[in-house]
Amino acid sequence: MPAVVVVGAQWGDEGKGKVTDYLAQTADVIVRCQGGNNAGHTVVVEGREYRLHLIPSGIIYPGKTCVLANGMVIDLRGLVSEIGQLRQYGHDVGGLKVSDRAHLVMPYHHRLDVLEEERRGSFQLGTTRRGIGPAYADKAARDGFRVGDLLEPEYFRQRLRWVVREKNLLLERIYGAEGFDPDHLYEEYMRYAEEIADFICDTSTLINAALDAGQRVLFEGAQGAMLDLDHGTYPYVTSSHPVAGGACVGAGVGPTRIDRVLGVVKAYTSRVGGGPFPTEIKGSLGDRLRDRGGEYGTTTGRPRRCGWLDAVALRHAVLVSGITDLAITKLDTLAGFDPIRVCVAYRHGERLQQSFPSRLSVLERCQPVYEELPGWTEEPVASTFDSLPPAVRRFLERVEELTGIPVRMVSFGRERDKTLCLSDLFATPAAKSPLGATPEMVYTNRRTERE
Ligand code: IMP
């Protein structure tokens, strides 16, 4: 059975929650591999809205194993509260597994995130202020705490005293802020440990065993490729690896185990926080797109910046994640926009730039080159690809041509039945990597597959 990685192919908020929710129905194991409660998705199941930041929404379906894997940074206050919310709604959370290797977001990480952001002044990143950057920084500096440390109370207490002393020096002497009492933190974390003890395990072994047993494993990415620490618009990125390779490191599986990478793309683009955004639409048109799309952060409530679809950024995401299939979401939001614009290249001085520049100074000088496509007036309603309005089909086909990747899933509304899945991603391994294939080849393949 193929293992499928779902990745965001833009700056996050592509609608991955809905796509993973859809695929989770037929998956056995759903794995979150990176990030923490900076992510958030809302899924609507049987009219009830779930807002989850850490636990995969697959937990809503009975019998699924939902893993918070080693690559995550976990805020235990948030986790305990999500478990409580699910139990309150009558869900069995027995399928939840938390990696003993995942790192903890500690309260001093939150405080430092806020203080560091303020200190950056005009270089502010616009973080979610959930302590993500400081937690990953401690992980890399080898000053972090792992979930498994909670099972060694004496070790945890001793090390916490030492680490908190260091953090307090920073908080009090550099920032003039309040420090923490390590013994209070210890008591608090021992209470959390009791609540989550039954869920802690070696999740890499569990996931590999599931793959060996032929189970369907869905790796659920958070954020998006353009926020990747290495491949995104650094420094305006998150501190983890949302690209598909991040799923391997973040879940403890080898790259040879991944069969397909589904890139989720919104029919337009949004970005929250600072950083370059070549296709951003400023003014009333951008406001209209934000309002129609309900583009406000699930985690912070911040209004998202909105713009046209950017095929240059998308091709970059395809490249760095090895995307084999695309899911296009929120086609309903674009209803009423005519014409629809798609950025097909950047103009940099006299040159046409087809690849995504790594230097922000270059990116800032790039002007998007737009192509106009006819819009559609009604929100699409369809049960087959061919019954979609012709303008929607043309838009999807153009995305395929511009990326060389076939569209396998289309979403045009929040509800689950407003999704068209054009092939069972778990049933068939991806065709040989479409990267390098000509758009015509991919297009012909997809058509043949549908016929
Ligand atoms: P951090 O991950 O909180 O450190 O934030 C770093 C950058 O990533 C900021 O621009 C955030 O707005 C952005 N970011 C983090 N998580 C998400 C997400 O789930 N969706 C969209 N943007 C995000």
Side-chain angles (χ1 to χ4, degrees), residues 226 278 310-317 319 343-348 351-359 362-363 366-367:
M226 304 310 288
D310 182 343
V312 183
L314 192 49
R315 283 195 292 263
H316 178 70
L319 201 79
C343 165
V344 293
Y346 296 155
R347 187 172 299 287
H348 179 224
R351 277 189 314 125
L352 265 194
Q353 172 112 15
Q354 300 284 352
S355 60
F356 195 82
S358 68
R359 278 184 293 137
V362 175
L363 191 54
C366 282
Q367 291 299 320

Side-chain angles (χ1 to χ4, degrees), residues 36 49 52 54 86 97 115 131 136 194-195 202 214 219 265 301 330 338 369 384 406 449:
E49 194 172 283
L52 296 166
L54 290 163
L86 287 161
K97 307 287 169 198
L115 293 167
Y136 276 116
E194 237 169 76
E195 299 215 36
D202 172 355
F219 298 90
V265 184
K330 299 194 87 162
D338 196 6
V369 177
T384 62
E449 219 171 87

Side-chain angles (χ1 to χ4, degrees), residues 32 34-38 54 69-75 102-105 131-133 135-136 139:
R32 259 247 5 228
Q34 41 74 225
N37 58 359
N38 48 347
L54 290 163
N70 56 279
M72 289 188 72
V73 286
I74 301 175
D75 179 338
H103 275 248
L104 299 179
V105 178
I132 305 299
Y136 276 116
K139 173 179 174 175

Side-chain angles (χ1 to χ4, degrees), residues 10-14 16 38-40 117 124-129 223-224 226-227 233 235-238 266 269-277 280 290 294-307:
Q10 294 160 315
W11 278 275
D13 308 316
E14 297 91 350
K16 293 179 296 298
N38 48 347
E117 267 291 83
Q124 270 196 10
L125 308 177
T127 74
T128 59
R129 302 183 177 219
Q223 290 86 43
M226 304 310 288
L227 287 173
T233 45
Y236 298 95
V237 293
T238 190
K266 194 149 57 180
T269 311
S270 70
R271 166 160 214 178
V272 62
F277 182 177
E280 182 167 11
R290 179 183 310 112
E295 296 292 351
Y296 296 89
T298 318
T299 301
T300 58
R302 290 181 290 177
R304 297 178 186 143
R305 300 153 66 194
C306 292

Side-chain angles (χ1 to χ4, degrees), residues 95-378:
L96 179 65
K97 307 287 169 198
V98 181
S99 169
D100 49 5
R101 290 183 170 88
H103 275 248
L104 299 179
V105 178
M106 304 293 287
Y108 47 79
H109 291 139
H110 280 255
R111 196 165 294 171
L112 283 167
D113 200 359
V114 173
L115 293 167
E116 285 168 4
E117 267 291 83
E118 280 165 12
R119 212 177 105 237
R120 284 186 188 111
S122 60
F123 292 103
Q124 270 196 10
L125 308 177
T127 74
T128 59
R129 302 183 177 219
R130 295 291 188 275
I132 305 299
Y136 276 116
D138 270 359
K139 173 179 174 175
R142 284 128 327 152
D143 283 333
F145 287 99
R146 305 202 294 180
V147 169
D149 295 339
L150 298 169
L151 306 175
E152 310 281 343
E154 206 35 47
Y155 168 78
F156 184 65
R157 186 206 294 268
Q158 294 302 335
R159 223 171 131 250
L160 192 60
R161 282 188 179 148
W162 180 83
V163 172
V164 170
R165 200 181 62 216
E166 298 293 303
K167 297 297 171 194
N168 283 352
L169 283 176
L170 190 60
L171 286 165
E172 291 163 3
R173 300 218 187 148
I174 303 290
Y175 291 106
E178 211 183 319
F180 287 87
D181 177 339
D183 292 328
H184 280 164
L185 283 185
Y186 172 78
E187 299 298 334
E188 182 183 347
Y189 275 70
M190 284 301 110
R191 283 198 299 278
Y192 298 143
E194 237 169 76
E195 299 215 36
I196 66 158
D198 290 347
F199 306 121
I200 302 175
C201 67
D202 172 355
T203 54
S204 164
T205 304
L206 180 142
I207 297 164
N208 279 283
L211 288 167
D212 290 342
Q215 292 193 345
R216 295 168 166 227
V217 180
L218 179 67
F219 298 90
E220 169 180 323
Q223 290 86 43
M226 304 310 288
L227 287 173
D228 185 273
L229 187 56
D230 278 60
H231 300 288
T233 45
Y234 190 89
Y236 298 95
V237 293
T238 190
S239 298
S240 67
H241 293 290
V243 296
C248 294
V249 182
V253 298
T256 47
R257 309 222 69 164
I258 307 295
D259 297 274
R260 300 184 88 136
V261 178
L262 178 68
V264 185
V265 184
K266 194 149 57 180
Y268 50 97
T269 311
S270 70
R271 166 160 214 178
V272 62
F277 182 177
T279 61
E280 182 167 11
I281 312 172
K282 301 234 168 88
S284 58
L285 191 64
D287 294 345
R288 197 172 131 215
L289 194 50
R290 179 183 310 112
D291 288 343
R292 267 200 64 87
E295 296 292 351
Y296 296 89
T298 318
T299 301
T300 58
R302 290 181 290 177
R304 297 178 186 143
R305 300 153 66 194
C306 292
W308 298 113
L309 185 69
D310 182 343
V312 183
L314 192 49
R315 283 195 292 263
H316 178 70
V318 165
L319 201 79
V320 295
S321 271
I323 290 172
T324 57
D325 308 272
L326 290 176
I328 313 286
T329 64
K330 299 194 87 162
L331 285 159
D332 51 316
T333 300
L334 284 188
F337 287 82
D338 196 6
I340 287 170
R341 298 175 111 190
V342 176
C343 165
V344 293
Y346 296 155
R347 187 172 299 287
H348 179 224
E350 293 300 297
R351 277 189 314 125
L352 265 194
Q353 172 112 15
Q354 300 284 352
S355 60
F356 195 82
S358 68
R359 278 184 293 137
L360 294 194
S361 61
V362 175
L363 191 54
E364 271 154 15
R365 285 197 297 273
C366 282
Q367 291 299 320
V369 177
Y370 287 114
E371 185 178 291
E372 292 190 344
L373 295 172
W376 47 93
T377 45
E378 303 285 318

Side-chain angles (χ1 to χ4, degrees), residues 51-64:
R51 281 170 186 255
L52 296 166
H53 298 278
L54 290 163
I55 304 177
S57 55
I59 198 79
I60 296 164
Y61 311 110
K64 310 282 176 194

